[in-house]
Amino acid sequence: MVKNFSNEYGKVIIEGEVIAQVGGIAAMECYGIVGMAARSVKDGIVTLLRRDNITKGVFVQIEGDNVDIELHIIVEYGTKISAITDNLISTIKYKLKDMLDLQVRSIKIYVEGVRVDHH
């Protein structure tokens, strides 16, 4: 998946992987999110992704000018999930608009687990 646009300087191509990286990094900066999650298709077990694999918890779909994003997250125990997801949606929309000049059509968030943060 790629997003193309042109300006007076030429053509710009943004790979879907870049959009996923921006979304994953933005998610990791949000309060209450422990990390991105990946679910094993074979046994259904959810694993917390390390920072270098966060894009495996982000799926990007591009159709024309529309960008749809799906995130799989693990939240910190004791936090209000609706507040976390509201913050995550607005953060991702802002980051993608600011950094890549992309309008997001939809964001789906799947809370795959809750973890106790060990400070």
Side-chain angles (χ1 to χ4, degrees):
M1 287 285 155
V2 295
K3 176 73 178 153
N4 299 315
F5 63 90
S6 299
N7 60 26
E8 66 271 17
Y9 302 111
K11 186 174 185 177
V12 178
I13 300 171
I14 301 172
E15 295 286 336
E17 179 74 8
V18 173
I19 298 168
Q21 285 176 340
V22 171
I25 292 167
M28 294 300 296
E29 293 174 349
C30 289
Y31 173 78
I33 296 180
V34 175
M36 305 305 291
R39 181 183 294 274
S40 169
V41 175
K42 183 177 70 175
D43 53 20
I45 294 175
V46 173
T47 55
L48 180 65
L49 295 169
R50 293 193 354 228
R51 193 155 183 92
D52 55 345
N53 284 334
I54 58 174
T55 58
K56 289 190 171 117
V58 183
F59 301 95
V60 176
Q61 181 75 33
I62 302 168
E63 294 176 11
D65 289 336
N66 297 316
V67 177
D68 300 311
I69 299 174
E70 182 179 300
L71 296 112
H72 296 260
I73 62 171
I74 296 175
V75 298
E76 183 178 339
Y77 177 78
T79 56
K80 187 173 182 180
I81 293 174
S82 63
I84 292 169
T85 55
D86 288 347
N87 181 38
L88 178 56
I89 289 168
S90 63
T91 299
I92 288 178
K93 282 185 174 183
Y94 172 78
K95 293 280 187 181
L96 289 175
K97 178 66 177 160
D98 185 54
M99 294 177 68
L100 305 175
D101 199 27
L102 294 176
Q103 290 284 57
V104 178
R105 178 172 61 179
S106 71
I107 298 176
K108 293 181 183 176
I109 300 172
Y110 297 89
V111 178
E112 299 287 359
V114 177
R115 296 274 169 100
V116 176
D117 193 15
H118 301 287
H119 284 296

